[in-house]
Amino acid sequence: MAESGVKFGTSGARGRVVDMTDRVCFAYTLGFLQYLRGAGRLTATGDVGLAGDYRPSSGRIMAACAAAVRAAGFRPRNFGRIPTPALAAYGIARGMPTLMVTGSHIPDDRNGIKFNLPTGEILKEDEAGIRAQTVDLPAGEFAADGSLRSATALAPAESAALEGYVSRYLAFFPRTWLAGLRVGLYEHSSVARDAFQAVLAGLGATVTRLGRADRFIPVDTEAIRPEDVTLAEQWCADGEFDALVSADGDGDRPLVADAAGRWLRGDIAGILCARELRAAGVVTPISSNTAVERCGWFSEVLRTRIGSPYVIAGMRTLRERGVAPVVGYEANGGFLIETDIARDGRRLPALPTRDAIIVAVAVLGAARRRGVPLAALTEELPARFTYSDRIKDFPTELSAGRLAVFATGDAAADRTAAGAVFGPAFGDVAAVDHTDGVRITFANGDIAHLRPSGNAPELRAYTEADSADRARDMNRLCMDILQGWRS
């Protein structure tokens, strides 16, 4: 791990493709399986599921992982290019560990491996257990460049995991749930595109497939590309669609747009989805919109650090306290379900990992059920607006050093330091929160939250205010300040 530069982020191991050699991916996979075996979570023989996204490097990495699975005495099963939640759901239902090869939303010069226990995502304590493993790589198996000398092709892809994922929604929602809705499906290079088509059409929507790409496109649901904003507006300009839907590269973070082509923020879609599923407890990271507390729709709201492992841990806390149903969501829109959801005699099994399709289906169905356009649902929420952006190629060490000025351990000193930098633009500082990064609340209620990415050398800024224009203007000012930190 130290030599390769491939490290754990918030969603598994990630690194540059050139660093994720067959040797590195083989070693990571062995470490994962050794950890599971040592923890008593594996039998002597068994299956390990594999899937990947559409990045050019994903097939090679999947083959390296499969070779490691065989070397450890297990049987690799190739489920093809399918959404991360589809693979995870299949593994959880069968008590089978799984590995998803994906870099999610980041550019395709990087990739990653998401590890799932037989019970779901690995948590931070599991990452530590994997890091602690010492693995023995087979002698003579790798060339000097780290490639496998005798790579074996993956077995033909099985369809069971994708079929089960689609059936999950068709079995829970009524077949007329989306009847009459005209939905544009922005496909780009997401592995969720075929599942979206099957589910939306299966629930009665008229689906038009848009923007299919043969090359990988890094769609980030938290920092939507200007070209995707323009595309959505153009597709909706003639009133052809009631909504647009999409997802990121591995299909665990949704995009939903209203009839005007305005993409909903992920944390707004998460609130609407949680309400439609009649959740009692909601868990979300510190960066999410505060409308979740202000709306008063949920009996308990728990805030965590950013990253699905922390959301999962928080959901377990609420479940153990007897709260149900319990769900979670992130600012990127990824939605997690901790407890089974029961409705009209049907059951939606828990899926404690990020999912995209549930958000689109629940939110669009809520609008149809109530006979209102999607935009009308968002207007029922308190007027709080968020905006986020990032600076790429911003070294993590530099981010940590700059943010340390506002995290001294002395609350008064932290407020003073934050005020000195951000006060001229945003006013007096009321509080500084260090749950994850530095979240500054100003006296007028505006919020600026600064945090290094856990997956890439990026520095993110999240802003929140009482108007969309103010949140966007705040974010632009934050970007100007953060750009100055490079010098």
Side-chain angles (χ1 to χ4, degrees), residues 75-119:
R75 181 173 72 122
R77 294 179 62 184
N78 173 24
F79 293 104
R81 308 303 174 95
I82 65 172
T84 292
L87 178 68
Y90 191 83
I92 292 169
R94 289 154 184 80
M96 177 177 65
T98 58
L99 294 84
M100 178 71 185
V101 177
T102 180
S104 187
H105 60 282
I106 58 181
D108 63 1
D109 63 341
R110 296 174 178 270
N111 211 327
I113 308 173
K114 291 183 178 180
F115 301 99
N116 292 310
L117 309 173
T119 53

Side-chain angles (χ1 to χ4, degrees), residues 46 74 99 105 118 140 170 193 209 220 303 316 333 335 341 378:
F74 300 97
L99 294 84
H105 60 282
L170 299 186
R193 57 197 184 189
R209 306 181 82 150
D220 185 345
R303 295 280 185 160
R316 288 180 181 175
F335 200 88
I341 304 291
T378 64

Side-chain angles (χ1 to χ4, degrees), residues 56 73 111 118 186 216 219 247 283 317 330 338 356 368 383 412 418 438 483:
N111 211 327
Y186 177 27
F216 186 82
V219 171
V283 179
T317 296
E330 297 183 282
E338 175 66 16
R368 178 192 175 276
V438 175
Q483 288 286 5

Side-chain angles (χ1 to χ4, degrees), residues 254-483:
L255 278 175
V256 180
D258 62 20
R262 294 182 295 247
W263 296 112
L264 274 63
R265 300 292 302 176
D267 46 7
I268 294 299
I271 298 172
L272 298 176
C273 183
R275 179 175 67 162
E276 184 58 27
L277 295 179
R278 303 169 188 169
V282 174
V283 179
T284 194
I286 191 68
S287 59
S288 295
N289 194 307
T290 59
V292 66
E293 287 95 355
R294 297 187 182 202
C295 69
W297 293 343
F298 312 106
S299 60
E300 293 206 45
V301 176
L302 179 65
R303 295 280 185 160
T304 70
R305 293 183 63 184
I306 296 173
S308 56
Y310 300 110
V311 175
I312 293 168
M315 292 194 304
R316 288 180 181 175
T317 296
L318 290 190
R319 173 173 54 80
E320 290 166 359
R321 287 185 0 212
V323 180
V326 175
V327 303
Y329 65 85
E330 297 183 282
N332 56 42
F335 200 88
L336 308 90
I337 301 176
E338 175 66 16
T339 58
D340 292 357
I341 304 291
R343 185 170 188 159
D344 301 328
R346 299 182 177 93
R347 184 179 65 89
L348 184 67
L351 182 55
T353 194
R354 281 193 302 261
D355 187 18
I357 285 184
I358 185 59
V359 176
V361 170
V363 173
L364 295 186
R368 178 192 175 276
R369 181 175 59 82
R370 299 177 60 185
V372 299
L374 178 58
L377 297 183
T378 64
E379 293 170 1
E380 297 177 6
L381 287 164
R384 294 294 287 177
F385 299 85
T386 57
Y387 198 89
S388 62
D389 203 350
R390 59 184 171 165
I391 300 178
K392 298 181 180 180
D393 300 318
F394 201 105
T396 302
E397 296 77 11
L398 178 58
S399 296
R402 292 292 189 176
L403 295 181
V405 174
F406 315 114
T408 65
D410 183 322
D414 293 343
R415 290 195 300 272
T416 298
V421 175
F422 297 96
F426 306 131
D428 294 339
V429 173
V432 179
D433 185 292
H434 305 106
T435 300
D436 198 340
V438 175
R439 184 173 173 86
I440 305 165
T441 300
F442 299 93
N444 63 359
D446 291 346
I447 296 172
H449 182 186
L450 315 173
R451 175 185 177 268
S453 170
N455 298 320
E458 300 172 349
L459 183 56
R460 289 183 177 268
Y462 310 81
T463 49
E464 180 176 332
D466 287 338
S467 75
D469 287 344
R470 174 62 176 166
R472 183 170 52 252
D473 291 344
M474 285 181 65
N475 205 274
R476 178 181 53 78
L477 291 170
C478 281
M479 288 292 105
D480 290 343
I481 293 170
L482 302 187
Q483 288 286 5

